[in-house]
Amino acid sequence: MVQSSDRYQSRGGQTSGIRRRQDPVVYPAALPPGEHALSEHQLAGYRRNGFVFLKNFFPEDEVALLLGEAQRMVADAALRQSEEAITEPGSDAVRSFFRVHQLSALYGRLAADARLLDIACQILGDEVYVHQSRLNLKPGFDGKEFYWHSDFETWHVEDGMPRMRAVSCIILLTENNEFNGPLMLIPGSHRHYVVCTGETPEDHYKSSLKQQDIGVPDHDSLSFLVAQGGIRAPKGPAGSVVFFDCNTMHGSGSNLSPFPRSNLFFVYNAVSNALQMPVCGLKPRPEFIATQQDFTPLRRETGPLKPVVR
Ligand code: 6CS
Ligand code: FE
């Protein structure tokens, strides 16, 4: 049921348009910042742009472990058949694995790593849990685009995330360059909420995770946002990290190069912002896409990543 009191109405008979964000970007600190929190300068950039790029964040040996884990998962025939595996539109190439913080002990450990968690908690001013995790593979030649979108629009409408109090963290497992379809972000777009048109179909995720057509912004709104903020594509070596606000407009092009663009994606949500019922009135999306059973805060894990003994 669409509530008229909903701050962030979208789809369900709405006409497209741009509304103001009604939530903070950086929340007041609940606790003193952790050892690995962003500097004041970095935090100010995040507040202004809606993202921060942290080049060479993880050392080479840890990145090698993380990439090795991705390659192991791609080679796992049973995993490729699981519901967590999403293939590219029109091919059998794996586009994404979801719920990787639970499918992989190494990625589970990484999601709770103090180096990431201190930043997420600093931004959100709360304890956090993982709302969604995925490994995006974007294979060479076959990797298709992600059209422009605000993640929050989908998480609000389809998952019942109440407020903009979540942050996404991308860990580059391969170099992201101008050829392999890097993430593109619109600086400052997080301060605007783009209302989308259309109706959410039943089981929308079955098509939207391959290619999204509903819950995408109109051209006029995108042109407005880009006229204000431009477009940035953080490029850098494997091991670099991007934190971006849940409402920052972003997308990426297809990968026409032979080089894969593999990224890990963890979404941290404030425990005080745990999911309610989907705003669109449909049944909640499956647990592997949107955590709804356990909002226990992550516990900080310190020290370097180690190989997981199997
Ligand atoms: O539907 C979702 O939750 C997801 N879809 C996209 C295109 N990006 C963020 C999120 O993983
Ligand atoms: Fe997204």
Side-chain angles (χ1 to χ4, degrees), residues 157-178:
V157 173
E158 298 193 30
D159 297 336
M161 183 182 283
R163 310 292 292 244
M164 295 181 185
R165 196 168 185 174
V167 61
S168 296
C169 171
I170 285 188
I171 299 124
L172 280 57
L173 298 187
T174 59
E175 182 190 34
N176 279 214
N177 56 41
E178 59 267 60

Side-chain angles (χ1 to χ4, degrees), residues 134 146 149-151 155 244 250 265:
R134 63 196 284 186
F146 290 83
H149 63 281
S150 147
D151 292 333
W155 298 337
F244 65 101
H250 63 286
F265 179 77

Side-chain angles (χ1 to χ4, degrees), residues 16-134:
S16 53
I18 300 190
R19 310 259 178 282
R20 249 206 324 274
R21 177 192 184 104
Q22 301 196 33
D23 292 309
V25 176
V26 175
Y27 281 74
L31 295 169
E35 182 192 345
H36 303 284
L38 298 174
S39 68
E40 275 309 316
H41 177 73
Q42 290 171 320
L43 194 61
Y46 177 90
R47 191 184 282 112
R48 183 173 62 249
N49 295 321
F51 67 92
V52 61
F53 182 44
L54 307 167
K55 224 175 196 168
N56 290 310
F57 190 83
F58 287 108
E60 264 174 38
D61 54 336
E62 289 179 271
V63 180
L65 274 182
L66 296 172
L67 181 60
E69 183 73 344
Q71 289 161 343
R72 183 192 67 77
M73 291 175 86
V74 173
D76 182 332
L79 198 56
R80 292 172 71 108
Q81 296 306 313
S82 69
E83 63 176 0
E84 285 88 354
I86 308 292
T87 53
E88 292 286 356
S91 92
D92 284 340
V94 178
R95 176 173 172 87
S96 311
F97 288 115
F98 275 77
R99 204 170 66 86
V100 290
H101 70 298
Q102 290 169 336
L103 292 179
S104 154
L106 181 66
Y107 292 164
R109 164 65 180 76
L110 176 66
D113 196 287
R115 289 166 287 184
L116 301 177
L117 214 53
D118 283 357
I119 297 175
C121 292
Q122 176 190 27
I123 291 170
L124 302 177
D126 196 357
E127 296 189 290
V128 301
Y129 69 95
V130 175
H131 163 64
Q132 182 187 86
S133 71
R134 63 196 284 186

Side-chain angles (χ1 to χ4, degrees), residues 177-241:
N177 56 41
E178 59 267 60
F179 308 116
N180 62 358
L183 173 72
M184 300 187 288
L185 306 124
I186 303 182
S189 57
H190 61 308
R191 296 192 179 281
H192 305 274
Y193 181 65
V194 179
V195 178
C196 302
T197 57
E199 292 294 334
T200 312
E202 194 97 24
D203 290 336
H204 185 217
Y205 71 93
K206 290 186 178 162
S207 59
S208 71
L209 299 180
K210 292 172 183 279
Q211 185 189 322
Q212 192 169 350
D213 299 317
I214 303 288
V216 293
D218 62 288
H219 290 178
D220 285 350
S221 299
L222 280 172
S223 302
F224 169 84
L225 295 175
V226 173
Q228 304 245 310
I231 299 178
R232 292 257 298 274
K235 282 167 274 185
S240 303
V241 164

